C-alpha cells in the first residue's frame, strides 16, 4: 500500500492496493504448469532445424538424402519445398520479408535452412545434422558501419530496389532550431556509445505444437506467444488459413521479455508440416537456437550531444543512431515509428529543441530488434540521455544530481510537450529524486567518496532519472502490422456471483490472473478468489494486441476497469429494482448497494448477480456480462530515480555494487507485492546488461554468446541487493491511475550502474566505458587515464 | 535396456534407450512435466531433480545411471495432501513469477534446508547459484528458502 493510495476494499475482497497472493501459483508450485513443451498430442511428430554454420553464403545445393534415410524420419523440408507452397519467405512485423527456409543465400550464422520431421526429438536432431548444404561462402558484414561503407557486400540482393544495406532513415524534432541552439551554446558535451546487442533469453525457449486437422481444417497452434490474437491474424494473412479455423493457444509462458513477440520460421515450418502430413508437429528451440536466431534486443550505436548555456541549462539535444538490424528488419514495434519511441530521448528535462536521426543497417547477423523488457527503444534513449547528462555535469563542474534538479521538467509544467512531440501528462521528478537522495544521504555519500579518493580507493555514485513512455496505443499513432494497439476485456458474472474475466493481453509471469482480478474486485466488490482470469486462447478471449511494452495494465487493465464499471451500472439498475429505490439514491461500496440514509436496506453484488438471471427488472436485458475495447488517449509516463554506489578495484577493474536505491513512480499499484517483484527482476536485468550480458560476433560473423556459458546472465550470487522506494503520481487519464511497471527498472537502471562506475573514475578524466562494463574495459580505461595500479 | 527406479517413492520399471537423458526420461517416459529444460550446457538448472536426495541437473545424467536409485521431482514434494514448507514459502514470499525455474529452485531449496536450517542470505544465494531465474531477481527466492528453513527449525 502506498502513501498516496487508499484502500477501497477490505482484504477479503482484495481489490487494488492489497498484496494478495497470486492465483497462478497453486499450479506452478506443484509442477502442474502447462508450458509449451509439456503439450503432447497423439501421433505428434518432432521437428529439428538444420541451421547455417556460416554468416553469409550462396547456397549451391541442399542434399537431404542422408537425413531422409534415418529410420524414424518422416519428412525433410527445404526452402525449395516451402517455395512450392509460396512460404519460403514471410513478412516481418516491420514490413520487411524474412526467409523461412533459405533458398538463395544464408545471411547469418544460425539461419534456418532445412527442417527434419521425425518420430522423436532425438531422431530429428540426429537427422538434421545429416543435411548437407553446399555453400559458396561470401564476405560477411559484421558491423553497421561496415555495412553502410562503400563497396560493402549487398546482403539483401533478393530485395527489389535494394542497392545498398540501408534499412531505413528516420528523424524527429526540429533540426534548424537545434542547430541554432548549438550555435549559441556556451558548451557542448558529446558522447558516443554502443548499447550492445543482448538477448532476452527467457528461461523457457520458444516453441510450437501445430495441430491441423486435415478433415475439418481446424488449425490449433499452441505457441509461446506474447500476442496470440495478432499472431492468429498474421497466420491467416500469411498462410491463407481461414481465421475462424485458427485457434492460437499460448499456454503458461516461461518468461517472454519481448522474445516471444515475433513469428519465427520454426512456427511457420511446423505449421506447414502439420498441414501437409496431417499430424501434430512439435518444435522446441534449444537454448542455442534461441540465442543465435530469435529476437535480440538493442544494438544501437549512438552519438548524442547536449548544448549547454553558461549557467548550466540544457538548451538542446542532438542524437544520431546507427542501428544494427541483422539480416532482416524485424523490429517488433509500431509500424509508423521506425526507431520506436527512441525520440523520448529528451528524457526528464525541460529544454526547447531536439533533433534525432536514426538509420538502420542490414548486417550478417540474426534479425530481431525486439523490445527486450522495454517499450520500443526507450531503453536506448534513456541510457543515452542519462549518460550525457552526467557528462554535462562533469563538464560544468557540478554535481550530477544538482544538474538534474535544475534541468528537470517542473511539476507545474505538466502536461508538458517535449521537443519531439510526446505529451508527458504528469510527474514530480524533483520529489522523486530528492527522496532517493535522502534515502542514501547523498551529501554524506559524496563526502565519503572524497575521503575514499584521498585514500586511493575508487568509489562511484551513479544517478539516473528515467521517464518512460509505455502502454501503446493510442491507436491513432500505434499499430503493429496495421493492427491497432487497443486492448480488451470481457467480464461475465455468473448467477452465484462468481466471475470470469477474459483478456486480450497475455501474461508471461507478470501475474495477470491476480492483478486483473483485483481490478474487478475493486470495482465490483467480488472477492479476487471468486474471479477466474482467462487469457492466451484466441477462441475464448476478446481481441487484443498482447503483452509487451508494459502495455497490459495501461490498456488491458483499463479495459478491465471499464467493463467492470459497465457491469456496475447495470448492477445498480438491478439493485434499485431489488431495493425498490431510485438508482440515484444508492451508494455502492465494496460490493454492497445500500440506500443512502438507510444503510440496513442493502443488497450485495452476489444478490444482484443472482437477480440478473432470476429476477430482472422489466425492460432490462438479462445476464450480467459485457466487454470493453479500450483505446487509451495517450501513453503513460512512469518514471524513477535510481542511485547506485559502487567500489571499483583499481588493480583488476572489478566493480561491486555497494548499494542501490531505486525509486519508482508507476502510479497506482494494483498489487504492491507483484509490482516490487517486477522491479526487482527488472533491476537485475539492468544490472545484467550493464555488467555481463551481451551478444557479440567475430569477424567471420560467428555468434559469440550462443549458450549460457558464453552469454552470461546473473545468478543469485552476482545479483546485488536492491532497496526500493516509491512515490505515487497517478496517471491522470488511466481509469485506475496505473501507469505500468514491468519494464521501468530495466529501462532506467543500466545508466545508473554505468554512471556509478564512470563516477568512480571521473576524476581521472574517464567519461565513457561501453556496456557491458567488463572488468577488462574498466582496467583499460584506468590504464589509459593513468589511474591504474600495477 | 530396462531400468528400475523409484520415482517420488513409487518403484517403476521402464524400457529406455541407453542414450536417453534423465530429464527426457522424467518428462516423457515418466510423464512428470514439472521438471523443465532451459539450456544445452548444464547452466540453467531448471532440470534439477533429487537423485537419492541430492540435487542433480537431470539434463546431464543418463536415465540409465539412475537404475536402482531414487529420483524425486516437484510432483513429489507434497506429502499426505500437504504442501511442503518450501512450496508454501514460495507463494507467501512471491518467489515465482513465470514459474519456469520454480520446481528446480524449490527442490534445491528443500534439499538445502535439510542441511542448513538457519542459512544466511549469502549461504542461500550460493546454494542456488547453479539455478537461473530470469524473472524475480532472486531476492524473494532467497526469502522463501529462508522462511522454509525457519519452518523446518520450528519442527
Ligand atoms: S537444462 Fe539447463 S542445466 Fe539442465
Ligand atoms: S520465475 Fe521465471 S525464470 Fe524464475
Amino acid at each position: 500500500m502506498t502513501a498516496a493510495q487508499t484502500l477501497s476494499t477490505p482484504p477479503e475482497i482484495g481489490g487494488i492496493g492489497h498484496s494478495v497472493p497470486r492465483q497462478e501459483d497453486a499450479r506452478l508450485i506443484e509442477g502442474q504448469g502447462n508450458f509449451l513443451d509439456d503439450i503432447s498430442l497423439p501421433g505428434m511428430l518432432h521437428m529439428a532445424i538444420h541451421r547455417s554454420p556460416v554468416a553469409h553464403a550462396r547456397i549451391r545445393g541442399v542434399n537431404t538424402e542422408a537425413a531422409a534415410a534415418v529410420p524414424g524420419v518422416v519428412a525433410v523440408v527445404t526452402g525449395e519445398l516451402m517455395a512450392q507452397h509460396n512460404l519460403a519467405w514471410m513478412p516481418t512485423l516491420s514490413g520487411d520479408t524474412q526467409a523461412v527456409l533459405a533458398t538463395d543465400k544464408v545471411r547469418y550464422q544460425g539461419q534456418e535452412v532445412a527442417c527434419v520431421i521425425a518420430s522423436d526429438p532425438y531422431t530429428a536432431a540426429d537427422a538434421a545434422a545429416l543435411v548437407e548444404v553446399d555453400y559458396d561462402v561470401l564476405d560477411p558484414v559484421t558491423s553497421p558501419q561496415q555495412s553502410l561503407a562503400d563497396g560493402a557486400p549487398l546482403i539483401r540482393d533478393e530485395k527489389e530496389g535494394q542497392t545498398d544495406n540501408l534499412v531505413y532513415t528516420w528523424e524527429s524534432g526540429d533540426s534548424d532550431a537545434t542547430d541554432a541552439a548549438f550555435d549559441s551554446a556556451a558548451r557542448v558535451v558529446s558522447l558516443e556509445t554502443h548499447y550492445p546487442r543482448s538477448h532476452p533469453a527467457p528461461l523457457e525457449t520458444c516453441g510450437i505444437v501445430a495441430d491441423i486437422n486435415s478433415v475439418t481444417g481446424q488449425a490449433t497452434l499452441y505457441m509461446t506467444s506474447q500476442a496470440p490474437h495478432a499472431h492468429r491474424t498474421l497466420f491467416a494473412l500469411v498462410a491463407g488459413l481461414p481465421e475462424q479455423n485458427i485457434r492460437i493457444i499460448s499456454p503458461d509462458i516461461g518468461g517472454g521479455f519481448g522474445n516471444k513477440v515475433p513469428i519465427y520460421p520454426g512456427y511457420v515450418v511446423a505449421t506447414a508440416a502439420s498441414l501437409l502430413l496431417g499430424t501434430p508437429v512439435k518444435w522446441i528451440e534449444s537454448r542455442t537456437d534461441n540465442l543465435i536466431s530469435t529476437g535480440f534486443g538493442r544494438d544501437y550505436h549512438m552519438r548524442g550531444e547536449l548544448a549547454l548555456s553558461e549557467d548550466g541549462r540544457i538548451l538542446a539535444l542532438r542524437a544520431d543512431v546507427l542501428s544494427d538490424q541483422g539480416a532482416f528488419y524485424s523490429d517488433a514495434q509500431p509500424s509508423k515509428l521506425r526507431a520506436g519511441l527512441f525520440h523520448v530521448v529528451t528524457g526528464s528535462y525541460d529544454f526547447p529543441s531536439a533533433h534525432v536521426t536514426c538509420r538502420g543497417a542490414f548486417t550478417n547477423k540474426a534479425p530481431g530488434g525486439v523490445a527486450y523488457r522495454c517499450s520500443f527503444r526507450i531503453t536506448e534513449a534513456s541510457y543515452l540521455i542519462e549518460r550525457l547528462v552526467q557528462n554535462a555535469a562533469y563538464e560544468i563542474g557540478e554535481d550530477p544530481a544538482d544538474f538534474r534538479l535544475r534541468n528537470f521538467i517542473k511539476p507545474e509544467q505538466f502536461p508538458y510537450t517535449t521537443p519531439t512531440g510526446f505529451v508527458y501528462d504528469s510527474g514530480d521528478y524533483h520529489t522523486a529524486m530528492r527522496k532517493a537522495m535522502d534515502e542514501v544521504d547523498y551529501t554524506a555519500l559524496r563526502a565519503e567518496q572524497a575521503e575514499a579518493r584521498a585514500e586511493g580507493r575508487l568509489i562511484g555514485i551513479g544517478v539516473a532519472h528515467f521517464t518512460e513512455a509505455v502502454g501503446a496505443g493510442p491507436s491513432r499513432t500505434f499499430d503493429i502490422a496495421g493492427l491497432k494497439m487497443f486492448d480488451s476485456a470481457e467480464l461475465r458474472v455468473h448467477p452465484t456471483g462468481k466471475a470470469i474475466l477474459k483478456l486480450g493481453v497475455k501474461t508471461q509471469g507478470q501475474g495477470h490472473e491476480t492483478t486483473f482480478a483485483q481490478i474487478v474486485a475493486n470495482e465490483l466488490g467480488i472477492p479476487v478468489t471468486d474471479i477466474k482470469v482467462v487469457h492466451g486462447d484466441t477462441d475464448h478471449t476478446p481481441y487484443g494486441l498482447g503483452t509487451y511494452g508494459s502495455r497490459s495494465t495501461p490498456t488491458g487493465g483499463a479495459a478491465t476497469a471499464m467493463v467492470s464499471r459497465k457491469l456496475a451500472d447495470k448492477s445498480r439498475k438491478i439493485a434499485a429494482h431489488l431495493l425498490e429505490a431510485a438508482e440515484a439514491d444508492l451508494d455502492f461500496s465494496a460490493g454492497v448497494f445500500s440506500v443512502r440514509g438507510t444503510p440496513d436496506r442493502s443488497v450485495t453484488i452476489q444478490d444482484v448477480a443472482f437477480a440478473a438471471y432470476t429476477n430482472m427488472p422489466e425492460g432490462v436485458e438479462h445476464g450480467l456480462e459485457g466487454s470493453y475495447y479500450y483505446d487509451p488517449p495517450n501513453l503513460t509516463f512512469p518514471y524513477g530515480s535510481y542511485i547506485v554506489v559502487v567500489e571499483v578495484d583499481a588493480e583488476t577493474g572489478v566493480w561491486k555494487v555497494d548499494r542501490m536505491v531505486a525509486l519508482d513512480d508507476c502510479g497506482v499499484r494494483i498489487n504492491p507485492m507483484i509490482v516490487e517483484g517486477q522491479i526487482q527482476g527488472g533491476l537485475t536485468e539492468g544490472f545484467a546488461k550493464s555488467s555481463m550480458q551481451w551478444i557479440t560476433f567475430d569477424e567471420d560473423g560467428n555468434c559469440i554468446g550462443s549458450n549460457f556459458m558464453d552469454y552470461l546472465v546473473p545468478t543469485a550470487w552476482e545479483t546485488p541487493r536492491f532497496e526500493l522506494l516509491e512515490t505515487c503520481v497517478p496517471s491522470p487519464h488511466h481509469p485506475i491511475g496505473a501507469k505500468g511497471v514491468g519494464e521501468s527498472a530495466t529501462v532506467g537502471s543500466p545508466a545508473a550502474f554505468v554512471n556509478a562506475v564512470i563516477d568512480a573514475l571521473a576524476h581521472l578524466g574517464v567519461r565513457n566505458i561501453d556496456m557491458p562494463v567488463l572488468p577488462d574495459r574498466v582496467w583499460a580505461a584506468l590504464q589509459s587515464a593513468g589511474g591504474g595500479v600495477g | 535396456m530396462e531400468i528400475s527406479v523409484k520415482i517420488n517413492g513409487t518403484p517403476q520399471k521402464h524400457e529406455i534407450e541407453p542414450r536417453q537423458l534423465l530429464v527426457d526420461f522424467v518428462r516423457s517416459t515418466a510423464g512428470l512435466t514439472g521438471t523443465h529444460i532451459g539450456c544445452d550446457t548444464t547452466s540453467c538448472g531448471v532440470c534439477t531433480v533429487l537423485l537419492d536426495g541430492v540435487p542433480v541437473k537431470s539434463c546431464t545424467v543418463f536415465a540409465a545411471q539412475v537404475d536402482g536409485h531414487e529420483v524425486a521431482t516437484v510432483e513429489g514434494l507434497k506429502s499426505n495432501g500437504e504442501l511442503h514448507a518450501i512450496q508454501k514459502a514460495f507463494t507467501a514470499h512471491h518467489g515465482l513469477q513465470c514459474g519456469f525455474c520454480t520446481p528446480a529452485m524449490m527442490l534445491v531449496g528443500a534439499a538445502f534446508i535439510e542441511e542448513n536450517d538457519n542459512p544466511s542470505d549469502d549461504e542461500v544465494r550460493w546454494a542456488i547459484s547453479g539455478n537461473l531465474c530470469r524473472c524475480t531477481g532472486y531476492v524473494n527466492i532467497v526469502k522463501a528458502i529462508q522462511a522454509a528453513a525457519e519452518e523446518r527449525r520450528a519442527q
Side-chain angles (χ1 to χ4, degrees), chain A residues 559-581:
Chain A
T560 300
M562 296 309 282
V563 72
S564 302
R565 287 174 193 177
K566 239 181 170 176
L567 297 203
D569 288 347
K570 186 168 184 182
S571 297
R572 179 177 288 272
K573 279 193 178 54
I574 303 169
H577 161 70
L578 295 177
L579 291 165
E580 296 177 343

Side-chain angles (χ1 to χ4, degrees), chain A residues 203, chain B residues 96-101 133-136:
Chain A
L203 266 196
Chain B
L96 64 151
Q97 290 182 21
C98 77
F100 199 70
C101 69
C133 174
R134 297 287 290 154
C135 301
T136 64

Side-chain angles (χ1 to χ4, degrees), chain B residues 83-102:
Chain B
L83 289 175
H84 189 285
I86 197 99
Q87 292 172 300
K88 291 187 206 159
F90 265 69
T91 289
H93 294 273
H94 188 30
L96 64 151
Q97 290 182 21
C98 77
F100 199 70
C101 69
T102 312

